Amino acid sequence: QHLSVTLPFEALGWTGVLIEPVRRDFEACRDARPASHVVHAALGPAGSTGTVTFNEVVGEDHSGVMSYLETNAHHEQDLKAKSAKVNAVEVPYTTMTQVLAGAPDPEQPYDFAVIDVEGGEVGLFQGFDLARFAPAVLVVEDKADPETSPVRPIIESAGYERATAIGINDVYVLRSQPDLLRRARRLGFGSR
């Protein structure tokens, strides 16, 4: 529940799919979020199956939310700055497409998705069939510069436009939702 972006929406009656690779956080999520479908897994590109070695960051502060499957230079700097300790653990390995296809109502429309995978965005989106599931809004934590982000072209080629940013989170909206896109651009949270 700590630092959850989606908990307030569940409190308002929304349902969703939550994916958590850290076992203790998965168990806490499963217990505290009864309206949502909670899955214990790390997400990767198409073809990801079985288990994978996941890097669980342990310690004080926000280290638990810094755990990762794959990382990048930005995330490595954060880990170094916090002198983070990392434990390698085996976790189930799948794709976003497989998780959503296995949800209780796989054909339900998704209003938004929040992606926070500490540098593993490219792999996740390579395993996410955006044409099939197409959340109207994607909120993606991406510490890379928006102009050189390796994940931005993947998302944009699937019919999304980067509308604004909230801190280090880029907000993408489906181009087929022009009114929503216009409203998102007007939010004025700022840019990075």
Side-chain angles (χ1 to χ4, degrees):
Q1 295 178 18
H2 180 65
L3 299 176
S4 175
V5 173
T6 58
L7 180 61
F9 293 95
E10 187 172 310
L12 292 171
W14 289 30
T15 60
V17 177
L18 306 171
I19 303 137
E20 177 56 59
V22 176
R23 176 160 288 285
R24 74 176 178 283
D25 294 341
F26 157 73
E27 291 170 354
C29 234
R30 183 190 58 208
D31 295 343
R33 306 288 295 273
S36 292
H37 177 66
V38 184
V39 176
H40 178 229
L43 301 177
S48 297
T49 61
T51 62
V52 68
T53 301
F54 184 78
N55 301 285
E56 185 177 339
V57 178
V58 295
E60 297 179 20
D61 299 327
H62 302 303
S63 60
V65 297
M66 294 178 68
S67 298
Y68 60 96
L69 176 60
E70 299 174 30
T71 191
N72 58 30
H74 301 285
H75 185 246
E76 285 180 13
Q77 286 176 329
D78 290 346
L79 291 169
K80 187 176 180 181
K82 291 188 182 291
S83 300
K85 181 182 177 197
V86 178
N87 290 337
V89 295
E90 289 296 309
V91 301
Y93 192 38
T94 190
T95 66
M96 180 70 91
T97 297
Q98 287 301 111
V99 168
L100 296 178
D105 184 2
E107 301 310 316
Q108 75 175 342
Y110 289 93
D111 294 306
F112 78 101
V114 178
I115 309 295
D116 183 353
V117 292
E118 305 305 324
E121 298 84 14
V122 170
L124 180 144
F125 278 102
Q126 289 171 338
F128 189 172
D129 186 347
L130 288 170
R132 176 177 175 188
F133 294 104
V137 176
L138 294 169
V139 178
V140 182
E141 182 183 271
D142 186 359
K143 295 178 183 173
D145 180 283
E147 300 308 314
T148 59
S149 167
V151 74
R152 184 176 179 180
I154 297 169
I155 297 169
E156 288 181 340
S157 70
Y160 289 83
E161 184 172 320
R162 183 177 175 275
T164 190
I166 304 169
I168 57 172
N169 297 284
D170 290 323
V171 179
Y172 295 89
V173 177
L174 273 173
R175 287 187 201 99
S176 62
Q177 303 276 334
D179 290 338
L180 184 57
L181 183 56
R182 214 173 3 265
R183 288 192 318 240
R185 284 190 200 121
R186 284 195 308 248
L187 289 175
F189 286 120
S191 59
R192 34 180 217 103

